[in-house]
Amino acid sequence: MASGTRNSTTGILSNDKSEEREQIIEMLRKAYWMEIETVMSYIANSINPDGVRAQEIIESLQEDVQEELGHAQQFAARIKELYGVVPGSLDFTAEQTYLQPPEHQTDIVHVIKGVIEAETGAIEHYNAIIEATDGVDFVTQDMVIAILHDEEGHRRLFEGYLREYEAEGLA
Ligand SMILES: [Fe+2]
Ligand SMILES: [Fe+2]
């Protein structure tokens, strides 16, 4: 070809959409860090808990670690597709105070509530991305809708665990 590559003239990758892209990339970076921190928190909380009733939580979080890691990879890939750069680890700031190890490792309610809090935070941020990308970037929107579905499933599962403890007056 004689000329260079042709820039896309429609959609989020077009030249005149750089401002919109930057805004979306910023939201995706935040989502990426949320997933990374969730992976860290879920690894710890899938190993620390003690007791007979901890097993269900442990197995559930072990599975979630892989899913949240997959989400982080999807967010990272989309950042690149939008001409952004996936941040390095020095940009990371931890925020999940509610998912730190409890004083007693048999305190399963602490873990369940922490997971619900993390999933709720993700659900709020992903709803914001879905709204911000509406009519602007359907591909990001489509991806985040699928991820939001996963997070809603996670939250519902842990709400169910909490109900059991509440029914017994333990939460
Ligand atoms: Fe996730
Ligand atoms: Fe999740």
Side-chain angles (χ1 to χ4, degrees), residues 35 67-68 71 126 147 151 154:
E35 296 289 350
E67 235 178 283
E68 310 297 10
H71 294 163
Y126 301 168
I147 295 174
E151 313 300 14
H154 295 160

Side-chain angles (χ1 to χ4, degrees), residues 53 109 112-113 116 156 158-171:
R53 307 178 76 169
V109 170
I112 294 171
K113 286 183 173 172
I116 292 172
R156 182 60 186 89
F158 276 76
E159 280 174 353
Y161 294 144
L162 190 61
R163 276 185 195 180
E164 188 180 310
Y165 283 88
E166 281 169 346
E168 295 169 19
L170 297 171

Side-chain angles (χ1 to χ4, degrees), residues 8-99:
S8 177
T9 52
T10 54
I12 192 62
L13 296 184
S14 62
N15 280 343
D16 62 349
K17 289 278 165 56
S18 65
E19 228 170 83
E20 287 89 337
R21 277 200 302 275
E22 200 37 62
Q23 193 215 343
I24 294 166
I25 287 167
E26 206 39 58
M27 296 184 94
L28 293 175
R29 281 199 195 106
K30 182 181 167 161
Y32 171 74
W33 286 132
M34 288 171 88
E35 296 289 350
I36 295 284
E37 186 171 16
T38 299
V39 168
M40 287 193 269
S41 294
Y42 286 6
I43 287 175
N45 286 293
S46 68
I47 290 173
N48 284 333
D50 278 324
V52 181
R53 307 178 76 169
Q55 210 50 42
E56 191 70 34
I57 305 299
I58 284 173
E59 281 169 24
S60 189
L61 286 178
Q62 275 172 351
E63 262 177 48
D64 284 354
V65 165
Q66 304 306 323
E67 235 178 283
E68 310 297 10
L69 182 60
H71 294 163
Q73 289 174 308
Q74 286 184 71
F75 282 120
R78 190 59 187 157
I79 288 169
K80 177 168 180 163
E81 284 166 0
L82 294 175
Y83 303 127
V85 174
V86 183
S89 57
L90 289 180
D91 280 347
F92 176 70
T93 312
E95 290 176 357
Q96 292 180 350
T97 50
Y98 43 85
L99 266 175

